[in-house]
Amino acid sequence: MTGKTVLIVGASSGIGKSLAQLLIKQGVSVISASRNNPELEDVKHYTLDVTTAEPDFSFLPETLDGLVYCPGSINLRPFQRLTIADFQKDMEVNFLGAVKTLQAAFKSLKKSESASVVLFSTVASKLGMNFHSSIASAKAAVEGLGKSLAAEWSSQHIRVNVLAPSLTATPLAERLLATDDKKEASNKRHPIGRYGTTHDLAEMASFLLSPKSSWITGQVIGIDGGVGSLKP
């Protein structure tokens, strides 16, 4: 990965920040784009708000070897209490923001010999879960986008894969793991015996960005402690 250039949208915290730290150690030139600065050494940061009508992507380099879109939301409420505005907001952050970013970055990705894109979904798009109708819908759209682009961009040697995590200890999920009881309950829900860490997701994203995964594209990969496919 030495000498490669990777854009991380949403590197200011959580999974994106862990990934940036990991890639830097691997000799990657990391570009951060988000509303907040991750304040990491050796990272070029640009302010970006993907929810605006026309985000400023003028900072994009001529060539990109990798792109990771991390922004997400956790809006867990009964379906009847969700408004159309709630659904629109989740779609804007999770799906349409990714669309805007990918359209802007296509020319730069195309100039790489073998570019890789990593998007994020959720286990809730596969496994029906209470109160997840808005976020599961938005992330299901991300999965559809990822598979479609993997096919469309394969002729350009651009790989596209999607990671679908279960509950992970990020600032976004802080209230879901706010007490020892909540942490223990979450541990018990996962067959592997624990909830996820940002490092778990960063390691897989790093692998998908690397030449080691050069024959992997169009996949939705569950990084979920087994909760999406196992019931011991």
Side-chain angles (χ1 to χ4, degrees):
M1 293 289 284
T2 301
K4 300 291 187 181
T5 300
V6 174
L7 167 64
I8 303 176
V9 179
S12 59
S13 65
I15 297 166
K17 190 168 187 175
S18 288
L19 177 59
Q21 293 170 321
L22 182 59
L23 292 178
I24 290 168
K25 293 178 181 178
Q26 297 174 359
V28 176
S29 176
V30 176
I31 300 172
S32 160
S34 61
R35 287 179 292 185
N36 300 311
N37 193 329
E39 298 181 352
L40 293 173
E41 290 187 16
D42 301 319
V43 170
K44 294 180 181 178
H45 175 74
Y46 299 90
T47 301
L48 177 70
D49 184 353
V50 296
T51 64
T52 60
E54 296 183 1
D56 181 9
F57 289 102
S58 60
F59 62 85
L60 286 172
E62 185 175 348
T63 302
L64 265 181
D65 301 295
L67 188 158
V68 184
Y69 185 85
C70 298
S73 55
I74 300 181
N75 185 14
L76 308 183
R77 277 187 279 172
F79 177 70
Q80 292 303 116
R81 287 176 53 195
L82 289 165
T83 65
I84 294 300
D86 289 322
F87 280 90
Q88 289 172 330
K89 182 177 180 180
D90 283 336
M91 287 293 288
E92 189 67 55
V93 172
N94 294 277
F95 175 66
L96 293 176
V99 169
K100 296 171 189 176
T101 302
L102 290 164
Q103 287 184 331
F106 175 61
K107 289 182 179 179
S108 299
L109 291 167
K110 189 168 60 171
K111 290 185 178 180
S112 173
E113 293 181 359
S114 56
S116 175
V117 172
V118 179
L119 305 174
F120 282 88
S121 179
T122 171
V123 67
S125 291
K126 173 184 177 182
L127 180 69
M129 300 174 71
N130 289 340
F131 312 135
H132 281 69
S133 56
S134 182
I135 184 60
S137 298
K139 290 299 193 182
V142 172
E143 293 186 11
L145 174 66
K147 282 185 169 289
S148 180
L149 287 185
E152 186 172 333
W153 288 0
S154 60
S155 62
Q156 306 290 338
H157 305 290
I158 302 172
R159 298 182 295 110
V160 184
N161 292 287
V162 183
L163 296 183
S166 181
L167 181 61
T168 305
T170 66
L172 196 63
E174 187 174 18
R175 66 182 180 84
L176 301 177
L177 298 169
T179 67
D180 290 340
D181 287 344
K182 287 184 177 181
K183 291 176 181 178
E184 183 59 25
S186 182
N187 285 338
K188 290 179 179 178
R189 283 195 296 271
H190 293 82
I192 208 71
R194 66 174 178 86
Y195 54 83
T197 68
T198 58
H199 185 70
D200 293 323
L201 276 298
E203 285 285 0
M204 179 55 79
S206 172
F207 170 71
L208 291 174
L209 290 168
S210 78
K212 294 179 181 179
S213 63
S214 62
W215 216 40
I216 301 175
T217 191
Q219 303 303 307
V220 178
I221 303 171
I223 310 296
D224 57 16
V227 74
S229 55
L230 306 176
K231 189 169 183 177

